[in-house]
Amino acid sequence: MNAPVPAGPFAPLRQRTFAVLWLATVVGNVGSFMRDVASAWVVTDLSPSPAAVALIQAAATLPIFLLAIPAGVLSDILDRRRFLIAIQLMLATVSGVLMVLAHTQALTLPWLVVLTLLGGVGAALMGPTWQSIVPELVGRAELRSAVALNSLGINISRAIGPAVGGLLLGAFGAGVTYGADVLTYVLVLGALLWWRRPAAAPDPLPEHFFSALRAGFRYTRSSPELHTVMVRTACFFGFAAAVWALLPLVARGLLGGTATFYGLMLGGVGVGAIGGALLLPRLRTRLSPDGLMLGAAGAVALVMAALAASPPQAVALPLMGVLGAGWIVALTTLNGVAQAILPNWVRGRALAVYLTVFNGAMTFGSLVWGGVAQAIGVPQALLVSAAGLVVVALLARRLALPAGDSDLQPSNHWPEPLAAPMAAHDRGPVMIQIDYRVHAEDRPAFAEAMQALSHARRRDGAYAWGLSEDPEAPATVTEWFLVESWAEHLRQHHRVSNADADVQQAARAWHRGDAPPQVRHLIALDVRKSALSG
C-alpha cells in the first residue's frame, strides 16, 4: 500500500471541528501561560531560593510524570469529550482558588505548591486525551500537519499568554491574572460542548481499567520504535529543562528585569516558536528527524550559554526567539514521530508513556539543575547543562528515530477462532500454538523472521512468546504465545495491523506444504474447580 501523501501545513484547519477545537486550545493555553507567569513570579516574592523556584516547575510536571499513564488508559476507555469537559472544570476551579487567595493576600508558598500540583494533575489527565482525539478529527495524510499545528497553537499561546500575563501582573497583580485564566476556560468548555463527537459503535469486548493498563504496558515494553523515541526525549529534555527551571532567576537576577520583562521573555519564546513551526515544513525537506534534533539541541545550548553571560535585555529577547524555535523543532519532531508509530487502539496509553518520559525528564531535570544552581550559581549551571545537551545530542544520533511510515490500520485478516460455549471471555490464560513445516536449511532465516513477528505478538497482547520443535517431527516448528484471557485474544484479532500482516507473511514464506500452518487455541483449565464439580 502506498504511503499517504503529506498534506500542507495548514490543511487540517479546513476541517471545521479541528479548527474550532484548535482555536479553543490556543485560548485555553493563553490562560494557562498567564497563570504560570503569575505563579513563577509570585514564588520569587515568597522565596528568593533557586530551589524554591525550581520546586514550582517540578510541582507542575511531577503529576504528569506520575499520572500520565493512568490518564492514557482512561482516554482509551472513556468518552474523550466528556472526560475533557470534566478536566476543564477542575482546572477552572484551581485557577479560581488561586484568584481568591491572591486577592485576599492569603497565597503562601505551600498553597502555591499544592495548587500547582493540582493544576499538574489536570494537565496530566488532559495531555494524552487531547492528543488522542487528533486522529478522530483529521485523516492520516493530515496527521503530522495536525500535530505540528497543535505545537504551533501552543506556541502562539506562549507568545501571547506570558506577555499579557506579565502586563496584567505588573498593572493589576496576581489576582486579576488568575481571574483572566478562569475566563479562558469558559471558551474552552463552550467549544467542547459544541463538538458533537460521533457515538462509538458498541464494543462487544470493552476493556476495563486494569486490563487496559496491562495491555498498554505490554505494548510499550515490546515496541522498539517507541523505546527509541523515549530515549531521545529523555536525553534532550533532561538537559534542556535547565533553562525553564532557572529562567525566572535569569530574568530577575542576571538581567535585572521586572515581571513585565519576564513575561516579554516568555513571549519571545512563543514568537520564536511560531517562526520555527512555520519554517519546519521546509526544514523537513532538507533534514532528517535526527538532523532536526541535532539542530534544535545546538540552538537551545547556544541560548543557555549566552544567558549565562548576562547579556543586555535588548539581546536577551532575540535569544528567547532562538530558544523558542529550537524548542518547537524538537518537540514537534518527537511528537510527530510518536503519533506516527502508534495504532489507534493503544494511542492514548502509549502517548501517555511518552508524556511520562517527557515530563519525568523535565521534573527531574528541574530539580537537578535547581540544586546545581544552588551549589555553583545560575550562570555555571546554565553552562554545564548547555555542554551536556550538545554532547548527548551528538551521541543520540546513533539511535536513529523511526520513519513512522508503516500502515497501522487493522488488517482483520485473522479468521475468528472457533470455540465451544465454555470459552467465557474472562477465562485464561490462553495458549495459541501455530505449527509450521520448515526445512532444516531454512531454520536460521525462519527464526530471524519469527523474531520480528514476536514483537508484533507481544505488542498486540501476548505476555510470553517462543518457538519449540518436536524431536519426533523434525520438520515441524511450533510458535506459541500466551494471552491473559480469551477476551484479550479476541481483541488481539482486531489489533493486528497491515504492517504486522506483512511481517507475518514474510515469516510464513518459509512454511512448506500445501496446507496452511495449523493453529490451536488452548485455554487453561481450573483444576480446583474441575475437582469440585467432579
Side-chain angles (χ1 to χ4, degrees):
M1 181 177 291
N2 293 330
V5 178
F10 298 103
L13 292 176
R14 292 196 291 264
Q15 306 293 332
R16 184 183 179 194
T17 303
F18 177 84
V20 170
L21 293 177
W22 181 83
L23 183 60
T25 61
V26 171
V27 173
N29 286 322
V30 165
S32 297
F33 282 117
M34 289 193 295
R35 181 194 65 202
D36 292 344
V37 165
S39 297
W41 197 258
V42 166
V43 74
T44 62
D45 288 329
L46 298 174
S47 174
S49 167
V53 174
L55 180 62
I56 294 299
Q57 173 71 25
T61 54
L62 180 61
I64 307 177
F65 172 67
L66 297 176
L67 300 177
I69 294 175
V73 175
L74 292 174
S75 75
D76 280 338
I77 65 177
L78 296 178
D79 183 289
R80 288 168 178 162
R81 172 180 169 271
R82 294 179 180 177
F83 192 37
L84 285 170
I85 289 172
I87 296 167
Q88 294 299 311
L89 289 171
M90 171 192 170
L91 289 171
T93 302
V94 169
S95 292
V97 173
L98 282 167
M99 176 186 68
V100 172
L101 291 175
H103 271 304
T104 58
Q105 303 295 316
L107 186 57
T108 62
L109 183 60
W111 266 116
L112 188 58
V113 171
V114 169
L115 291 168
T116 302
L117 278 168
L118 290 175
V121 170
L125 297 174
M126 185 171 63
T129 309
W130 204 280
Q131 291 197 38
S132 296
I133 68 172
V134 174
E136 300 181 30
L137 307 177
V138 299
R140 179 173 174 81
E142 297 174 336
L143 182 58
R144 291 208 183 197
S145 295
V147 171
L149 278 172
N150 278 345
S151 296
L152 174 62
I154 291 173
N155 287 284
I156 290 173
S157 304
R158 193 188 299 276
I160 299 171
V164 174
L167 292 172
L168 290 176
L169 186 63
F172 304 105
V176 170
T177 309
Y178 290 131
D181 179 34
V182 174
L183 292 177
T184 64
Y185 290 111
V186 176
L187 297 176
V188 178
L189 285 166
L192 289 170
L193 292 170
W194 167 85
W195 177 30
R196 291 293 180 260
R197 185 175 185 241
D203 187 355
L205 297 167
E207 290 187 273
H208 302 290
F209 181 84
F210 290 107
S211 64
L213 182 64
R214 291 192 296 272
F217 278 130
R218 280 195 297 269
Y219 184 94
T220 302
R221 186 170 61 246
S222 304
S223 175
E225 290 184 327
L226 187 57
H227 297 169
T228 298
V229 176
M230 292 190 295
V231 170
R232 296 293 298 270
T233 299
C235 289
F236 185 92
F237 293 106
F239 284 91
V243 69
W244 296 109
L246 303 176
L247 196 57
L249 295 173
V250 171
R252 171 170 265 180
L254 296 185
L255 305 180
T258 62
T260 300
F261 177 71
Y262 176 61
L264 290 174
M265 288 183 71
L266 293 180
V269 174
V271 171
I274 293 171
L278 294 175
L279 188 62
L280 189 55
R282 184 177 299 177
L283 292 176
R284 285 201 189 107
T285 64
R286 301 183 179 183
L287 296 173
S288 67
D290 297 295
L292 291 172
M293 290 300 299
L294 183 60
V300 174
L302 174 66
V303 172
M304 288 195 288
L307 290 177
S310 302
Q313 292 183 5
V315 175
L317 291 178
L319 286 174
M320 293 296 98
V322 176
L323 173 63
W327 195 268
I328 192 65
V329 167
L331 195 60
T332 302
T333 299
L334 292 169
N335 279 354
V337 172
Q339 286 274 17
I341 63 175
L342 296 175
N344 284 334
W345 71 267
V346 76
R347 186 178 300 277
R349 283 162 278 186
L351 283 175
V353 175
Y354 160 74
L355 291 174
T356 297
V357 173
F358 167 72
N359 287 285
M362 291 293 291
T363 301
F364 184 71
S366 295
L367 294 173
V368 167
W369 296 114
V372 171
Q374 185 85 23
I376 65 175
V378 172
Q380 291 78 10
L382 287 172
L383 289 173
V384 172
S385 60
L389 179 59
V390 171
V391 171
V392 298
L394 291 170
L395 294 177
R397 292 200 70 188
R398 299 183 179 182
L399 193 63
L401 288 168
D405 54 3
S406 299
D407 184 356
L408 302 180
Q409 292 300 311
S411 64
N412 294 316
H413 75 287
W414 285 10
E416 289 297 318
L418 299 176
M422 68 174 67
H425 285 176
D426 61 348
R427 286 195 59 190
V430 180
M431 173 180 282
I432 298 88
Q433 296 180 341
I434 307 173
D435 293 336
Y436 302 87
R437 294 184 61 80
V438 183
H439 293 163
E441 62 272 19
D442 294 335
R443 290 283 182 90
F446 173 74
E448 183 178 353
M450 292 301 293
Q451 190 63 37
L453 182 58
S454 73
H455 291 300
R457 303 290 200 212
R458 293 176 186 272
R459 286 197 311 266
D460 293 340
Y463 65 84
W465 178 92
L467 289 176
S468 302
E469 59 182 355
D470 185 348
E472 297 181 1
T476 300
V477 177
T478 299
E479 177 197 11
W480 58 267
F481 54 94
L482 296 173
V483 182
E484 68 178 29
S485 70
W486 184 248
E488 187 68 6
H489 179 57
L490 294 179
R491 295 186 192 104
Q492 193 177 26
H493 274 247
H494 302 288
R495 293 170 178 169
V496 178
S497 68
N498 289 316
D500 294 337
D502 292 340
V503 175
Q504 182 176 336
Q505 186 60 36
R508 285 196 174 187
W510 300 104
H511 171 73
R512 306 305 177 198
D514 296 330
Q518 182 180 358
V519 182
R520 293 187 300 277
H521 299 84
L522 305 175
I523 305 178
L525 179 66
D526 190 332
V527 179
R528 293 170 298 177
K529 186 178 296 185
S530 299
L532 290 174
S533 63

